Amino acid sequence: MSLRSRLRPWHGLMLAVFVVGFAASVWRDDPAVGPELLVPTINGLFAVVLFQFTVGNVWGYAVEYRNAGGRWSDLPFLAPFVAAAAWGLFAFVVTESPGAAAWSAFWGFVVVAAVTALVVQLLLGYRESESESSQPTR
């Protein structure tokens, strides 16, 4: 099996995130070629980890909501995304920093997703799945 057959678009996206993180670090610090490139390389790898963590959590949120019977057009599903966009835009306008905007958007999403889950849980209550409720108890 060749390397080319194992590569997916996701790998290209991760490479692009690495290059952006690396380039941003070089642009900020202007290192010379040599051992000084260690910091930009670590920053590029850190950008990849943060990207995978964020995309993975958002994807998990979407899949779990869908698996619980919700639709992706439901207000409880969309509320964290709207809050994240609003907080990110607000932070960018105030600080003019993309990093601060991303950080604010991330935490806006997390907080609103948690509050939304709690409110929905309290309003609707916990329901067992049909497979669990149809099994006899011992």
Side-chain angles (χ1 to χ4, degrees):
M1 183 176 237
S2 71
L3 177 63
R4 185 175 193 151
S5 65
R6 293 186 302 195
L7 291 178
R8 302 284 181 256
W10 177 253
H11 298 114
L13 185 58
M14 288 188 301
L15 178 62
V17 169
F18 172 80
V19 168
V20 167
F22 182 90
S25 182
V26 168
W27 180 68
R28 275 192 316 263
D29 301 333
D30 194 26
V33 175
E36 293 84 13
L37 289 178
L38 179 64
V39 170
T41 301
I42 290 171
N43 286 340
L45 292 173
F46 185 62
V48 170
V49 169
L50 285 177
F51 177 77
Q52 287 182 313
F53 176 77
T54 303
V55 170
N57 281 323
V58 170
W59 181 256
Y61 172 78
V63 168
E64 287 301 318
Y65 190 85
R66 181 76 173 168
N67 287 344
R71 291 176 298 173
W72 291 340
S73 60
D74 294 345
L75 181 61
F77 175 75
L78 294 175
F81 292 103
V82 171
W87 274 108
L89 182 61
F90 176 76
F92 185 74
V93 167
V94 170
T95 65
E96 296 180 3
S97 167
W103 190 246
S104 295
F106 172 77
W107 284 108
F109 179 88
V110 168
V111 168
V112 173
V115 169
T116 302
L118 182 64
V119 168
V120 168
Q121 179 91 12
L122 291 173
L123 290 177
L124 299 178
Y126 177 78
R127 294 180 292 167
E128 290 185 16
S129 69
E130 289 180 23
S131 63
E132 291 175 0
S133 61
S134 63
Q135 293 178 353
T137 57
R138 295 182 204 188

